[in-house]
């Protein structure tokens, strides 16, 4: 495994390997089993696997956790090597943004709902950095987790609209034993918050269950989900919504199609997200 910190060094590597399939797994590091599952899928489908580790300042709001976002490069490199990564691309902020950016890549409409509504500018930061990573790394496939379902939808739209020669591969949500979706930010939770955080998945399961039993009224499904979220006394609900997926349009009756039940919940300053895709 090679660790590459500059764009020019990557270009040299790429020049020698460009005939081989390249799978990219973009992350912000502090790796957990969710990231590893993306790497493993990329490993199965590509000759070369590139893991990018970059905490992207552009996608953090001014009052968010960019500075204190958990980082542990040494541990990440050990986990990456064990998972079969070929190249870790770990640029500095200066390497990615040597000059103030005057160009951004933005996807409209679907970025204004759910996480986009509570984190203005977040998705523009994501699509801008992912565009840069696609141009730098030149992957054939890029692997994204369904935990960030809106992010996957936004990037898929960007790829289609701008003709990036990249195939997005969605990977299933990896969970802790009690159902909590794995996330680097889970380390922020106090033991009591961590116990209550299982409520997100309980809520997801309840909505999925009612949907599978035939409930097709969006308001009633939402009520079932919200009632469970309210049982966690430390939780502050940011949003709980049922929308069409991947278009993220409002829906009243779930007759035929595909939808998402998506939740975001604050425990203190820690914001957790989870979702389920509902299909009929
Ligand atoms: N529990 C999970 N299961 C599957 N994929 C995940 C999970 N957590 C994160 N990912 C995916 O890993 C990639 C990098 O996410 P990142 O922001 O570094 O991690 P996290 O959101 O856990 O802090 C994204 O595509 C994200 O969807
Ligand atoms: Mg994340």
């Amino acid at each position: 495994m090679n660790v590459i910190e500059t764009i020019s060094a990557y270009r040299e590597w790429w020049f020698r390997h460009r005939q081989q399939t390249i799978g990219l797994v973009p992350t912000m590091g502090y790796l957990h089993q969710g990231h590893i599952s993306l790497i493993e899928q990329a490993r199965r489908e590509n000759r070369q696997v590139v893991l990018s580790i970059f905490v992207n300042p552009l996608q953090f709001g001014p009052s968010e956790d960019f500075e204190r976002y958990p980082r542990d490069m040494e541990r990440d490199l050990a986990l990456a090597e064990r998972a079969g990564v070929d190249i870790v691309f770990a640029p500095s902020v200066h390497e990615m943004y040597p000059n103030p950016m005057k160009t951004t890549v933005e996807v409209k409409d679907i970025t204004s709902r759910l996480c986009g509504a509570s984190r203005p500018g977040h998705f523009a930061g994501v699509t801008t950095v992912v565009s840069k990573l696609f141009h730098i790394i030149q992957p054939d496939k890029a692997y994204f987790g369904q935990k960030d379902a809106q992010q996957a939808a936004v990037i898929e739209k960007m790829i289609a609209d701008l003709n990036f020669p990249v195939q997005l591969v969605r990977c299933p949500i990896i969970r802790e034993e009690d159902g909590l979706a794995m996330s680097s930010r889970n380390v922020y939770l106090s033991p009591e918050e961590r116990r209550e955080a299982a409520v997100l998945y309980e809520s997801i399961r309840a909505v999925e269950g009612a949907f599978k039993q035939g409930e097709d009224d969006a308001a009633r499904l939402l009520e079932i989900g919200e009632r469970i979220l309210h049982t966690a006394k430390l939780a502050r609900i940011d949003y709980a919504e049922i929308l069409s997926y991947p278009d993220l349009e409002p829906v009243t009756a779930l007759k035929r199609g595909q939808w998402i039940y998506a939740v975001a919940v604050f425990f203190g300053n820690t914001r957790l997200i989870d979702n389920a895709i509902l299909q009929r």
Side-chain angles (χ1 to χ4, degrees):
M1 187 178 83
N2 273 315
V3 182
I4 295 181
E5 295 180 341
T6 65
I7 296 163
S8 62
Y10 181 83
R11 294 297 293 181
E12 275 175 39
W13 178 87
W14 177 80
F15 199 75
R16 287 179 279 114
H17 296 86
R18 62 188 166 166
Q19 286 89 353
Q20 302 178 2
T21 56
I22 298 175
L24 170 64
V25 180
T27 78
M28 300 205 297
Y30 211 71
L31 302 182
H32 50 69
Q33 201 52 43
H35 300 117
I36 302 300
S37 74
L38 270 55
I39 293 168
E40 286 171 347
Q41 185 153 351
R43 181 70 284 160
R44 289 192 290 273
E45 299 177 356
N46 301 274
R47 177 73 201 283
Q48 300 290 341
V49 175
V50 178
L51 171 75
S52 65
I53 298 180
F54 181 61
V55 184
N56 173 35
L58 236 54
Q59 71 190 67
F60 287 77
S63 62
E64 289 183 1
D65 56 344
F66 174 70
E67 293 297 337
R68 65 181 195 110
Y69 193 84
R71 294 164 170 89
D72 188 343
M73 190 55 78
E74 209 174 308
R75 180 170 162 276
D76 285 353
L77 295 182
L79 289 170
E81 174 133 53
R82 199 171 348 132
V85 169
D86 298 293
I87 299 290
V88 175
F89 180 64
S92 65
V93 171
H94 183 260
E95 180 71 7
M96 289 296 275
Y97 304 114
N99 303 301
M101 293 280 280
K102 294 194 188 289
T103 309
T104 57
V105 178
E106 282 187 61
V107 174
K108 282 185 278 195
D109 297 338
I110 56 172
T111 54
S112 63
R113 303 173 219 279
L114 302 178
C115 291
S118 29
R119 305 182 69 188
H122 167 69
F123 284 114
V126 169
T127 42
T128 300
V129 79
V130 170
S131 295
K132 284 169 71 82
L133 287 171
F134 283 177
H135 285 127
I136 295 164
I137 304 299
Q138 308 261 341
D140 298 281
K141 295 183 178 182
Y143 295 79
F144 289 88
Q146 194 61 27
K147 186 199 69 171
D148 299 86
Q150 186 177 16
Q151 171 173 278
V154 167
I155 292 169
E156 202 151 62
K157 188 71 181 121
M158 178 190 86
I159 287 172
D161 285 354
L162 298 182
N163 304 94
F164 278 94
V166 178
Q167 185 193 332
L168 184 146
V169 181
R170 295 157 180 278
C171 304
I173 303 174
I174 304 299
R175 301 179 177 284
E176 302 284 357
E177 212 142 275
D178 66 352
L180 176 64
M182 291 195 180
S183 170
S184 306
R185 287 188 171 99
N186 291 351
V187 294
Y188 294 149
L189 299 169
S190 72
E192 201 182 344
E193 290 170 338
R194 174 63 192 81
R195 271 194 299 280
E196 285 200 356
V199 79
L200 278 83
Y201 187 54
E202 284 165 31
S203 172
I204 301 279
R205 288 290 300 270
V207 170
E208 257 180 346
F211 175 76
K212 281 180 187 151
Q213 301 274 311
E215 181 59 77
D216 63 5
D217 185 89
R220 271 204 296 272
L221 286 167
L222 202 52
E223 197 187 291
I224 290 167
E226 283 178 328
R227 199 184 309 139
I228 291 179
L229 291 177
H230 284 128
T231 61
K233 57 184 197 309
L234 300 174
R236 182 165 62 78
I237 300 174
D238 182 23
Y239 64 71
E241 287 192 61
I242 296 174
L243 299 169
S244 68
Y245 190 82
D247 297 337
L248 307 183
E249 302 282 359
V251 57
T252 50
L254 282 58
K255 296 290 186 200
R256 268 194 67 194
Q258 184 172 266
W259 306 272
I260 185 169
Y261 171 53
V263 300
V265 174
F266 278 103
F267 285 92
N269 292 324
T270 307
R271 190 168 164 285
L272 304 179
I273 58 173
D274 205 341
N275 71 85
I277 301 298
L278 309 170
Q279 234 171 338
R280 184 115 68 203

